[in-house]
Amino acid sequence: MSATRTVELEGHIIDSGRMQQCFTAVMELGGSFEVEEFDVGKNEDEASYCRLAVSADDQATLQGILHELHQNGAVLRNPPNVTLEPAPADQVVPPGFYSTTNHPTEVRYEDEWIPVEHIEMDCALVVEPEGGPDGEPRAYTKVLNAIDEGDLVATDESGIRVKPPERPRGSDGPFGFMQGGISAERPSESTIRQVAEEVAETKSNGGNVLVVAGPAVIHSGAGDALAELVREGYVDAISAGNGFATHDLERSIYGTSLGMDVETLEHPRKGHKHHIWSISEVIRAGGIEAAVESGVITEGVMYECVRNDVPYVLAGSIRDDGPLPDTITDAVEAQDAIREQAREADLVLMLATLLHSVAVGNCLPSTTKTVCVDINPATVTQLLDRGSAQAVGMVTDIGTFVPTLAEFVLENEA
């Protein structure tokens, strides 16, 4: 016996490709559809509307199709209230719990749509009936290890709607130039200039710029430019690892990065020991801030972060030498620290780091503008594959990108 449900799509569903994606999903998953109503927006500010009757041979197939349509912003017509079940124990969610996307989300509770706070992919969705400041219902995401016994967890996506972000309709604006995914063939200078304009605009509007940086930033000689951006107030937070900070500190103490002089490309005698000696000096001083205050560290990105009260999160890994006293070695604690940074960010620059880019990307809502720069296109591809669809990528040498970015940002200031 066939099963049928009616869904609705609204917004810029034609030029964003969402309508086509929904049509394709229905057919590829073994269903069929009939367009019952279709209203096309007459101008770029007017939304379009489409109502579809979606059918499948059985309820299970239909449910799979509806799940896919939900990811693309389709909503059941006359949706029911969300189904909530209490968590049976700490860190245990009910079977079939709703796993969130990173798109703006609302949940239907007591016949009202409630916005979901702290939106993030791959989380549970929790509703507190009287959790708001005035006793009103509140909905928010929780990572699985933060679930408490008794939390009311959503288990039915039919009472939930998501809104994937719309891409810019034209080529104007700072992010319009980067429509079309990843490419090494775009004109680098004009692209970097537009990223610089976005950084400057974000700051002029009181926004927050988060930089996610890998060790290659220092090793390529771009550390001075990033330090200048921090000093001049264009970076509000740094997310990195033990390696990035160690290279930066080594550069201040010995003038090398991983034993190499980044100016002459020479390898001084015993240079291969500089990074571990640097870690030792910082440990002896009592940490990065203490090393700056005592004069052990006199320049660099970490120096400017301390001097200008720019917060940083150094997330550790199994590979870390030392590690530095400031490095967070507990993975869950590091995730929580990164999550707090991500919630504050309006623009994220991911610079030459695969693991940290993916880690931060997992915590970002899809409304946060994100630029990922790496010489390896696979880095940007993996970020997109993980679900950070809002990220736009530039394939270029980080040693060229960061100094040029700093030049253009400071040029806008002049």
Side-chain angles (χ1 to χ4, degrees):
M1 180 181 295
S2 64
T4 301
R5 295 296 296 271
T6 301
V7 300
E8 297 173 312
L9 283 164
E10 192 168 6
H12 297 305
I13 58 177
I14 301 173
D15 48 353
S16 69
R18 286 201 288 132
M19 188 173 71
Q20 179 182 352
Q21 289 167 358
C22 288
F23 288 173
T24 301
V26 173
M27 293 183 288
E28 287 184 347
L29 295 174
S32 60
F33 64 87
E34 179 181 348
V35 178
E36 296 183 338
E37 184 177 345
F38 184 30
D39 296 324
V40 180
K42 301 297 190 298
N43 55 60
E44 66 178 20
D45 297 320
E46 189 174 317
S48 299
Y49 170 84
C50 182
R51 187 173 76 238
L52 295 176
V54 181
S55 301
D57 291 338
D58 54 73
Q59 187 62 43
T61 302
L62 179 61
Q63 196 58 41
I65 294 171
L66 294 176
H67 172 79
E68 190 68 24
L69 298 183
H70 171 82
Q71 306 294 305
N72 286 289
V75 182
L76 285 176
R77 195 178 189 201
N78 301 318
N81 288 317
V82 66
T83 301
L84 300 172
E85 293 187 22
D90 291 350
Q91 302 184 3
V92 180
V93 292
F97 78 100
Y98 175 78
S99 178
T100 57
T101 72
N102 61 351
H103 301 316
T105 303
E106 294 179 314
V107 59
R108 190 168 180 81
Y109 180 76
E110 293 186 342
D111 300 324
E112 297 288 342
W113 288 106
I114 304 170
V116 177
E117 303 169 22
H118 304 318
I119 196 63
E120 180 183 337
M121 69 173 73
D122 300 332
C123 291
L125 195 161
V126 173
V127 175
E128 288 187 32
E130 298 179 353
D134 298 316
E136 71 274 17
R138 177 184 175 224
Y140 54 93
T141 62
K142 263 192 173 186
V143 292
L144 298 193
N145 62 35
I147 290 291
D148 296 316
E149 181 179 357
D151 279 346
L152 295 178
V153 178
T155 60
D156 186 353
E157 65 189 22
S158 60
I160 299 168
R161 65 184 180 191
V162 301
K163 185 180 180 181
E166 309 283 359
R167 284 290 189 184
R169 303 194 76 180
S171 59
D172 296 334
F175 271 53
F177 72 96
M178 285 193 284
Q179 295 181 67
I182 308 158
S183 175
E185 298 178 356
R186 297 190 182 97
S188 294
E189 187 169 311
S190 61
T191 302
I192 299 171
R193 185 177 294 279
Q194 289 176 289
V195 175
E197 291 171 356
E198 180 65 18
V199 170
E201 182 177 343
T202 298
K203 293 304 302 172
S204 67
N205 292 333
N208 181 291
V209 177
L210 169 63
V211 169
V212 184
V217 173
I218 308 301
H219 204 57
S220 66
D224 290 344
L226 180 55
E228 186 175 21
L229 288 173
V230 173
R231 181 170 60 250
E232 297 301 322
Y234 289 99
V235 176
D236 296 283
I238 296 279
S239 181
N242 189 74
F244 169 83
T246 298
H247 284 356
D248 179 67
L249 300 170
E250 177 192 339
R251 175 82 190 285
S252 175
I253 298 173
Y254 294 102
T256 59
S257 174
L258 206 60
M260 183 189 75
D261 187 316
V262 298
E263 303 291 343
T264 66
L265 303 184
E266 295 177 351
H267 289 77
R269 186 170 178 270
K270 295 187 178 180
H272 63 286
K273 296 184 179 182
H274 287 176
H275 77 288
I276 199 67
W277 286 349
S278 298
I279 292 171
S280 176
E281 289 301 311
V282 173
I283 293 173
R284 183 176 295 109
I288 294 174
E289 183 174 354
V292 170
E293 298 300 335
S294 65
V296 173
I297 304 302
T298 59
E299 62 180 339
V301 179
M302 305 312 298
Y303 173 86
E304 296 297 345
C305 285
V306 171
R307 287 299 189 203
N308 295 279
D309 295 320
V310 173
Y312 52 85
V313 170
L314 303 180
S317 77
I318 197 69
R319 310 183 306 273
D320 290 339
D321 292 321
L324 292 163
D326 303 75
T327 299
I328 303 173
T329 56
D330 183 297
V332 174
E333 183 183 345
Q335 284 181 357
D336 289 341
I338 289 171
R339 191 167 284 115
E340 290 302 314
Q341 286 185 315
R343 288 173 180 170
E344 296 293 325
D346 298 294
L347 172 65
V348 180
L349 303 180
M350 299 176 170
L351 308 176
T353 171
L354 171 59
L355 295 180
H356 286 275
S357 294
V358 171
V360 175
N362 287 351
C363 299
L364 292 173
S366 62
T367 50
T368 302
K369 290 180 178 178
T370 305
V371 179
C372 183
V373 183
D374 204 292
I375 196 66
N376 183 0
T379 297
V380 189
T381 301
Q382 186 164 338
L383 183 68
L384 296 174
D385 288 346
R386 280 288 303 143
S388 299
Q390 83 277 17
V392 288
M394 185 174 177
V395 180
T396 192
D397 173 38
I398 205 69
T400 300
F401 176 87
V402 179
T404 307
L405 176 71
E407 177 187 342
F408 289 157
V409 168
L410 298 174
E411 177 186 289
N412 286 337
E413 186 181 62

